[in-house]
Amino acid sequence: MKILLTGATGYVGGRLLEQIEADGHEVRCLAREPSHARAIAAPRTEVVRGDVLDADSLEAAFEDIDAAYYLIHSMGSQGDFEERDRAGARNFAAAARRAGVERIIYLGGLGRGSDLSPHLRSRQEIGEILRAGSVPTLELRASIIIGSGSLSFELVRALVERLPVMVTPRWVNVRAQPLAIEDLIAYLVASLDGPPENRVYEIGGADQVSYGDIMREYANQRGLHRFMIPVPVLTPHLSSLWLGLVTPVYARIGRKLIDGVRNSTVVEDHSALERFSVRPRGIRNSIARALVNEDREFARTRWSDALSSGGDTGWGGEKLGSRLVDSRVRTVSADARQAFAPIRRLGGNVGWYGSSALWRVRGFLDLLVGGVGSRRGRRDPEHLRPGDTLDFWRVEAFEPDRLLRLAAEMKLPGRAWLQFEVELGESSTEVRQTALFDPRGLFGLLYWYALYPVHQFVFDRLLEGIVARTGEEAGGAAEHGITSEQPPTAERKAVNPEDVRHVHLA
């Protein structure tokens, strides 16, 4: 079957892409920025440029397509997102009709009644628009999604990890039916089977619980003790501002999200259990799987692709999920091999370029509290491989002349990574250094911000030292008449979340 997938760079779409590729389907991804989809798609998957708001761009995308997934919604955009969603759905349905597509599969949101939030009302209206066309549209309506990296899970995770005591508004007690990401993908894949149908299926996990229940179960599995104090006067607007301070959710997305959770999202029509062979897991197992998969899924994520600009973010100035990021970039006149050489030699006897004394002090303090310190050094002064120790770091990922990711093994109130990326442009090379911290509780946040001046100095000196040694490397090569034969690669353009018109469904 030949499938058109929208939203491939989103949370659900990315996982669905991986599954339908593995199942052997011929896949074409529709993306406004093809380079972003190309980075995650298999080599045999086709990626085309297009936008559902630009009807003319859809014609080529639908050529020879049998089934199309519609996984787009504008919750993160400013202005009249509802009208943009209507226009996009109409364009998509019309293009599918003209191309003779057999079926459309759409992921909507659970909820019933006349007082639905604008977000849920729009989600369901999109399904109605698609079903009103001549192409049979199967709509799956889901509650919140539980999985490592999902918006709902990251919200719960951030609240529970950071707040020992939580003042909880009434929406925390509203009932939902959380669905594990694995089960959602199974439903989406199974929707390709059977005759095309024009109907709605409500899908949810095995348990009906509240957001409060989810937070308590997460705290239980993490061994955390949390206290919740109910307050009946906290409005959706105030809740969204509060979430903006303590969670990774942008305030305007938080407002729409909170406005939506005031509606109960439970399954009332159980016909999906007859139509599909999927038997969804309960909340306990869903959270356990999300926690187990968290490190594996996070390691596959390119942090810099989610940063808000191509330049420095400034220490503490960026959130990625519930993690805190310091990312800085420098451009050098050298090839990738020369730029990566100083990165490859970090640690051990070479040290950390410009502030090695502070790194040694950090290692000594780590020894005092029972950590590994920096006495381990490194296995080889020139060569690295995944699993190598490097002072109080361990090599988590290594790609010669392109990528080095280190996972911290010192004693910390959280988890930390340090990543270096080198990318060759048309006339220069970009070196990106990213420090990332996953704080554990309130003390973890205090640790991050209390060390602001030290980290600002250390990480700036580290990158400047790499740049200076890159110049020495390039100068030495030029002196000996050595040139690089490495072909240039396309420059990756970072995305500013404030400019994104469509947020792929999470």
Side-chain angles (χ1 to χ4, degrees):
M1 182 177 290
K2 191 164 186 176
I3 298 170
L4 177 66
L5 175 62
T6 63
T9 57
Y11 178 71
V12 173
R15 283 153 179 77
L16 177 60
L17 172 62
E18 185 176 2
Q19 185 59 58
I20 57 180
E21 286 176 337
D23 290 344
H25 292 291
E26 190 176 352
V27 185
R28 178 183 294 153
C29 296
L30 176 73
R32 287 186 297 114
E33 291 289 347
S35 61
H36 300 152
R38 184 72 273 161
I40 63 171
R44 62 185 176 84
T45 293
E46 185 181 358
V47 178
V48 298
R49 184 184 300 276
D51 187 339
V52 294
L53 296 178
D54 179 4
D56 293 338
S57 71
L58 300 179
E59 297 302 317
F62 272 102
E63 187 176 350
D64 298 326
I65 291 296
D66 300 309
Y69 284 99
Y70 195 79
L71 303 181
I72 295 175
H73 199 260
S74 303
M75 187 171 74
S77 61
Q78 302 186 51
D80 189 359
F81 73 93
E82 295 166 280
E83 183 51 43
R84 281 195 293 274
D85 282 339
R86 295 186 194 106
R90 293 189 188 105
N91 290 340
F92 194 84
R97 172 184 55 78
R98 289 192 296 269
V101 173
E102 294 177 4
R103 73 183 77 200
I104 295 173
I105 301 167
Y106 169 63
L107 178 58
L110 271 175
R112 291 178 180 240
S114 58
D115 64 338
L116 291 178
S117 70
H119 169 56
L120 280 178
R121 186 174 62 244
S122 176
R123 293 274 293 271
Q124 296 188 4
E125 184 183 9
I126 297 312
E128 293 170 1
I129 291 172
L130 293 173
R131 290 196 306 279
S134 61
V135 178
T137 298
L138 188 154
E139 178 182 353
L140 297 173
R141 290 185 179 174
S143 183
I144 59 179
I145 306 304
I146 301 295
S148 56
S150 75
L151 179 60
S152 299
F153 183 74
E154 284 294 337
L155 185 150
V156 168
R157 182 181 185 278
L159 288 173
V160 176
E161 292 282 355
R162 297 180 179 184
L163 300 177
V165 179
M166 285 178 268
V167 177
T168 56
R170 283 176 294 184
W171 59 261
V172 172
N173 298 316
V174 173
R175 308 297 287 179
Q177 203 157 337
L179 183 67
I181 181 62
E182 296 94 339
D183 295 329
L184 173 59
I185 298 304
Y187 274 119
L188 287 167
V189 172
S191 298
L192 294 169
D193 300 330
E197 44 185 336
N198 207 47
R199 65 172 297 177
V200 175
Y201 287 101
E202 297 183 348
I203 58 176
D207 301 320
Q208 293 187 7
V209 294
S210 67
Y211 266 91
D213 294 330
I214 298 170
M215 289 190 281
R216 282 184 280 269
E217 178 59 32
Y218 179 92
N220 180 61
Q221 294 196 27
R222 290 278 289 137
L224 301 171
H225 300 284
R226 295 295 182 258
F227 300 94
M228 298 184 187
I229 303 173
V231 176
V233 295
L234 202 56
T235 66
H237 175 71
L238 292 176
S239 294
S240 68
L241 297 178
W242 167 59
L243 290 174
L245 292 174
V246 297
T247 76
V249 187
Y250 290 111
R252 68 173 182 272
I253 297 180
R255 189 174 303 121
K256 293 168 185 174
L257 186 66
I258 298 306
D259 196 33
V261 298
R262 64 181 170 84
N263 300 115
S264 176
T265 55
V266 298
V267 173
E268 298 184 24
D269 179 355
H270 299 276
S271 58
L273 295 176
E274 301 174 6
R275 163 66 169 82
F276 303 98
S277 60
V278 181
R279 292 298 174 263
R281 66 205 76 204
I283 186 62
R284 178 176 299 177
N285 187 264
S286 298
I287 291 177
R289 286 187 62 83
L291 290 173
V292 168
N293 292 335
E294 186 179 23
D295 287 339
R296 181 178 65 86
E297 297 293 344
F298 176 61
R300 289 161 49 195
T301 301
R302 290 178 62 85
W303 306 327
S304 55
D305 288 346
L307 301 178
S308 62
S309 71
D312 298 353
T313 64
W315 184 261
E318 186 73 33
K319 294 179 183 178
L320 179 57
S322 55
R323 302 166 177 92
L324 300 164
V325 180
D326 170 78
S327 188
R328 48 193 76 211
V329 181
R330 297 293 183 271
T331 300
V332 296
S333 297
D335 63 37
R337 181 189 59 79
Q338 293 161 350
F340 196 78
I343 297 171
R344 189 185 69 238
R345 297 171 183 146
L346 277 169
N349 293 330
V350 170
W352 297 87
Y353 302 146
S355 53
S356 292
L358 289 176
W359 288 96
R360 286 194 293 270
V361 169
R362 181 64 181 88
F364 176 71
L365 294 176
D366 192 53
L367 279 177
L368 291 182
V369 295
V372 297
S374 57
R375 56 188 173 180
R376 299 184 302 184
R378 52 180 292 162
R379 175 185 59 86
D380 185 281
E382 285 285 341
H383 303 98
L384 291 173
R385 63 191 181 195
D388 276 357
T389 57
L390 202 164
D391 295 343
F392 37 57
W393 304 90
R394 187 174 297 275
V395 178
E396 187 173 88
F398 179 75
E399 298 177 28
D401 301 334
R402 200 194 74 80
L403 171 73
L404 171 63
R405 182 166 63 244
L406 305 174
E409 294 192 337
M410 71 279 280
K411 294 288 186 179
L412 290 169
R415 299 178 298 172
W417 293 264
L418 184 59
Q419 176 163 298
F420 303 90
E421 294 173 278
V422 169
E423 184 165 335
L424 185 65
E426 294 183 2
S427 58
S428 61
T429 297
E430 181 182 275
V431 179
R432 179 181 289 276
Q433 172 187 292
T434 303
L436 186 142
F437 186 58
D438 183 9
R440 183 171 61 247
L442 185 60
F443 184 64
L445 284 175
L446 292 175
Y447 170 86
W448 170 275
Y449 290 109
L451 291 180
Y452 171 87
V454 176
H455 285 144
Q456 181 75 15
F457 174 79
V458 167
F459 284 104
D460 190 62
R461 291 289 298 275
L462 173 55
L463 184 55
E464 293 302 334
I466 291 171
V467 170
R469 283 157 182 79
T470 297
E472 296 172 4
E473 191 83 14
E479 183 179 344
H480 292 86
I482 300 173
T483 59
S484 171
E485 296 180 357
Q486 183 174 356
T489 58
E491 183 178 358
R492 186 174 69 250
K493 180 181 179 182
V495 181
N496 186 338
E498 299 294 325
D499 295 336
V500 175
R501 288 181 292 173
H502 292 89
V503 172
H504 300 307
L505 296 177

